[in-house]
Amino acid sequence: MISCTEFIPLYSEFFKYLESIGGHDEVMKYWIHISDTSIGDKTNPNSLAYKCDRLGGFEGALAYWGHTLTEEACDVFQVIDKEKKYRYGHMRYCPSRGILNKLSHITPYYDYCSHCKVLYQRVLDNYGVIYDRDHTKIDNAECRDLLYEKDNPPDFDFLSVTDEQVKANASPDAIIVDMRSEDNKYLHRDFHLLGDNALKYCAETLGEEKLVDFLQGFTKNYYAPLIKEIQDGGLSVLEKWFAKKYETEEASEVLHTELSDNSLTVTIDKCPAIAFMHTLGKEPSNYYIEETRTVYKTIANECGYSFKLEYYDELGGTKFIFS
């Protein structure tokens, strides 16, 4: 399993991988695919399309971002004016983009943040909602957005207005939201679905050998610091890493490890990511196993260990051995 807190680097690296194959057009094809199959999935209770279908375009969008902004622990200022039918959002700090900015050993995909406009506007077009974005400060993990009903834009210049000006211009009953990152925990489990979607897209569009190639490259690049620590400190480092991963996912109880002088045995009762998918009525793709098989085998190979996958069941219950 790749933790949902590690999904953003996976996303960014996959964009770069697609660009290396077919240029930005290949990346755009994938963004459209995500919009249609994930953000626009009307069977997923957490999706934008599901909420817009049931609540209406504007109200559905408010409900969707209320969920995601909280789980991504965003530092955001919002003015939600239901009378004038707009929502102004100033992402003072996006923790997801912040994750990429803090990585010193890999660089973000150069057009990373543009996926937000493509993914969401494609869905919102079906509900008569406009989604404008200001990306002039994305290198600092900062952006602004404006949601409003088509043909009814708010009476201010989105690109030049300040937070205080929007607040002063709002209706008396407008909702003012001032959310800080420390108010919430960064644990957006919906990223597990998007991660699996990426694996499936890669395998079914480019071929299964390309999926393995991508995951091997991603593992060598993203986990390079971990690999160096294991090379220096041995399997006890890897054991602690697994413990931290499952603690982060709030699923420590499903993880069991046994460390000896020359081997580490890991047993997982069930995969927390798959368990989450099941709460939404979703099944993982046939390729989800590669987040275990290919990723851990690559870590083992890079560190001079062997890797043996003993079993892997439909719930993600698995046992594997590094030696």
Side-chain angles (χ1 to χ4, degrees), residues 53-275:
D53 252 16
R54 285 152 181 79
L55 301 174
F58 182 69
E59 290 291 339
L62 293 182
Y64 175 79
W65 268 290
H67 163 73
T68 58
L69 293 174
T70 299
E71 293 193 352
E72 290 189 54
C74 295
D75 188 313
V76 62
F77 172 82
Q78 299 178 83
V79 176
I80 301 170
D81 195 325
K82 294 189 177 183
E83 179 182 328
K84 297 181 180 180
K85 292 294 182 69
Y86 73 81
R87 188 211 70 170
Y88 166 87
H90 177 191
M91 184 79 74
R92 294 171 301 210
Y93 183 75
C94 172
S96 291
R97 176 58 193 251
I99 287 173
L100 295 179
N101 289 356
K102 289 177 181 177
L103 295 174
S104 59
H105 62 293
I106 59 174
T107 57
Y109 176 60
Y110 72 91
D111 199 27
Y112 178 82
C113 290
S114 292
H115 77 273
C116 289
K117 174 69 173 179
V118 176
L119 266 58
Y120 300 123
Q121 187 62 69
R122 186 175 175 84
V123 173
L124 291 170
D125 279 342
N126 298 320
Y127 302 96
V129 176
I130 302 299
Y131 182 53
D132 285 337
R133 293 187 61 82
D134 173 15
H135 281 180
T136 56
K137 297 181 179 179
I138 55 173
D139 288 342
N140 296 323
E142 180 182 356
C143 65
R144 296 189 301 164
D145 67 78
L146 182 66
L147 279 168
Y148 60 92
E149 292 187 330
K150 188 177 180 181
D151 301 324
N152 185 33
D155 56 352
F156 56 80
D157 182 359
F158 167 57
L159 295 178
S160 63
V161 75
T162 66
D163 294 355
E164 288 304 316
Q165 287 171 334
V166 177
K167 182 178 178 180
N169 184 66
S171 301
D173 294 332
I175 301 169
I176 309 300
V177 178
D178 193 349
M179 183 187 300
R180 300 290 176 174
S181 293
E182 57 267 24
D183 295 338
N184 299 291
K185 180 179 180 179
Y186 187 91
L187 191 65
H188 189 45
R189 292 187 173 94
D190 290 325
F191 284 157
H192 286 305
L193 287 169
L194 287 168
D196 187 43
N197 185 300
L199 304 189
K200 183 179 180 182
Y201 180 88
C202 188
E204 295 185 352
T205 304
L206 304 175
E208 293 184 32
E209 70 284 353
K210 291 293 187 183
L211 171 59
V212 172
D213 181 55
F214 163 67
L215 283 176
Q216 287 175 337
F218 165 75
T219 303
K220 293 176 185 178
N221 292 338
Y222 175 63
Y223 293 117
L226 170 68
I227 289 168
K228 180 63 167 59
E229 288 181 26
I230 297 170
Q231 290 170 341
D232 293 341
L235 289 172
S236 63
V237 173
L238 186 58
E239 182 183 40
K240 292 175 183 176
W241 178 73
F242 275 112
K244 181 64 176 178
K245 177 194 290 282
Y246 280 81
E247 178 186 351
T248 299
E249 288 280 340
E250 298 181 347
S252 295
E253 71 281 358
V254 305
L255 173 70
H256 312 280
T257 60
E258 183 179 345
L259 180 65
S260 69
D261 290 341
N262 57 9
S263 70
L264 172 65
T265 300
V266 179
T267 306
I268 298 164
D269 298 332
K270 62 180 180 179
C271 175
I274 294 177

Side-chain angles (χ1 to χ4, degrees), residues 43-60:
T43 68
N44 178 359
N46 285 348
S47 79
L48 177 59
Y50 183 98
K51 295 184 185 300
C52 288
D53 252 16
R54 285 152 181 79
L55 301 174
F58 182 69
E59 290 291 339

